[in-house]
């Protein structure tokens, strides 16, 4: 597998280690931007339209105009065509507010477009997660938005990895289960799949959305609701969903061991595999 990251910025392919952004880009100075990460399957982008729609929801939440999809498509074509076909990988496009002052005020230079792509290895069959002492703020201006301001996630993930886990789990300020740093969380209680409602402030994950749709279509009961953090101490199964994770079983939460995959998680995995194999842009 190649470790090469293909990079395109505002109309041109650039080396991954070459400077390509202005020092005063608002995405650099204050993290003012939005991004999407998509799965690449045999050189094609999975669920592309859903990702575009979420990008525009994030940009609107930031007070920025909708993205120019034709510009993004130009970048996508450039990075996907810049080498051998990527069989399994990650495509990311980032849109920043463009040049701005050294502060929270914005300039009016127009937005910056960045597209990257790379092969990635598949995840292990199951994962350990750790809860963290920090919370998501369900009343934050950026709640539920996929912005480039990821410092909280960096800190939380380092905390989890120091404890032998590879993903961190946040609650919110109401002590409700919320999400992980780069994935959504589901629990199984008495045979029913449950996941935090969007009112608890998780990101509206594309894989989360499709998992709910496809599991329900397969006859699996899925409930979106506010869940206490303590559900992680009593639930029967846990799994994560994410762009390149798909449906990913959890075998340990903090010090608590769990079956991975449990019987319900296995059914959800089967429903995902069957449905996702039929369409690249569901």
């Amino acid at each position: 597998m190649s470790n090469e990251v293909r990079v395109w910025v505002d109309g041109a392919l650039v080396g991954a280690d070459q400077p390509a952004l202005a020092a005063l880009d608002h995405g650099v100075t204050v993290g003012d931007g939005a991004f999407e990460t998509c799965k690449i399957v045999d050189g094609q982008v999975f669920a592309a339209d859903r990702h575009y729609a979420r990008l525009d929801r994030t940009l609107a939440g930031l007070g920025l105009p909708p993205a120019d999809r034709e510009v993004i498509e130009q970048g996508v074509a450039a990075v996907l065509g810049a080498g051998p076909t990527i069989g399994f990988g990650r495509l990311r496009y980032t849109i920043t507010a463009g040049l701005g002052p050294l502060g929270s005020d914005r300039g009016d230079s127009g937005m910056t477009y960045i597209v990257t792509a790379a092969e990635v290895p598949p995840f292990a069959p199951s994962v350990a997660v750790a809860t963290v002492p920090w919370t998501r703020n369900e009343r934050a201006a950026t709640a539920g938005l996929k912005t480039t301001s990821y410092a909280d996630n960096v800190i939380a993930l380092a905390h989890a990895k120091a404890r032998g886990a590879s993903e961190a789990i946040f609650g919110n300020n109401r002590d409700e289960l919320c999400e992980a740093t780069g994935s959504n969380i589901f629990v199984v209680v008495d045979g029913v799949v449950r996941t935090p409602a969007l009112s608890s402030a998780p990101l509206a994950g594309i894989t989360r959305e499709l998992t709910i749709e496809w599991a329900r279509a397969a006859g699996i009961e899925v409930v979106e609701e506010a869940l206490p953090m303590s559900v992680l101490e009593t639930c029967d199964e846990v799994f994560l969903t994410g762009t390149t994770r798909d449906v990913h079983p959890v075998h340990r939460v903090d010090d608590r061991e769990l079956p991975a995959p449990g019987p319900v998680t296995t059914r959800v995995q089967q429903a995902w595999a069957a449905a996702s194999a039929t369409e690249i842009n569901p």
Side-chain angles (χ1 to χ4, degrees):
M1 187 188 73
S2 171
N3 292 322
E4 175 198 14
V5 179
R6 306 172 189 178
V7 181
W8 176 97
V9 180
D10 282 344
L13 288 164
V14 296
D17 59 349
Q18 292 179 340
L21 286 180
L24 296 184
D25 191 283
H26 230 217
V28 174
T29 55
V30 296
D32 186 14
F35 77 98
E36 286 291 320
T37 301
C38 313
K39 181 170 62 173
I40 302 169
V41 181
D42 295 331
Q44 294 182 283
V45 180
F46 180 73
D49 287 342
R50 293 185 190 236
H51 281 283
Y52 281 133
R54 187 176 63 181
L55 174 71
D56 283 342
R57 293 197 300 270
T58 296
L59 290 169
L62 291 172
L64 292 169
D68 187 329
R69 188 175 297 194
E70 290 186 3
V71 173
I72 298 174
E73 291 286 358
Q74 179 187 350
V76 170
V79 295
L80 292 182
T85 298
I86 296 175
F88 181 74
R90 180 184 294 122
L91 175 94
R92 170 172 166 150
Y93 46 85
T94 304
I95 318 298
T96 82
L99 292 177
L102 287 173
S104 296
D105 288 333
R106 287 187 175 129
D108 57 4
S109 65
M111 298 193 291
T112 299
Y113 288 78
I114 306 162
V115 183
T116 62
E119 288 185 293
V120 295
F123 282 94
S126 65
V127 64
V129 302
T131 56
V132 297
W134 307 289
T135 60
R136 295 294 201 215
N137 179 4
E138 67 281 356
R139 297 180 62 189
T142 55
L145 304 182
K146 196 169 180 67
T147 77
T148 55
S149 301
Y150 254 46
D152 281 354
N153 290 340
V154 172
I155 294 166
L157 190 57
H159 179 93
K161 288 190 172 181
R163 286 153 181 79
S166 62
E167 182 58 296
I169 306 299
F170 286 99
N172 66 17
N173 289 337
R174 299 190 296 245
D175 201 32
E176 296 166 351
L177 183 63
C178 187
E179 64 179 350
T181 67
S183 48
N184 291 106
I185 187 166
F186 290 72
V187 299
V188 178
V189 179
D190 296 332
V192 176
V193 177
R194 301 180 184 275
T195 194
L198 296 182
S199 60
S200 294
L203 181 72
I206 303 302
T207 309
R208 171 191 184 274
E209 181 179 284
L210 287 169
T211 297
I212 293 169
E213 291 178 16
W214 289 341
R216 287 173 175 167
I220 302 166
E221 185 178 0
V222 183
V223 177
E224 299 175 74
E225 63 181 352
L227 295 162
M229 282 295 290
S230 60
V231 73
L232 295 176
E233 301 169 9
T234 58
C235 60
D236 303 313
E237 303 171 38
V238 177
F239 62 87
L240 304 177
T241 60
T243 295
T244 55
R245 292 178 186 272
D246 295 340
V247 177
H248 196 190
V250 172
H251 64 257
R252 179 166 56 84
V253 178
D254 294 330
D255 295 326
R256 183 175 181 237
E257 300 289 335
L258 290 161
V264 178
T265 302
T266 298
R267 290 181 62 203
V268 176
Q269 286 182 304
Q270 292 168 343
W272 172 275
S276 64
T278 65
E279 190 175 356
I280 194 68
N281 191 22

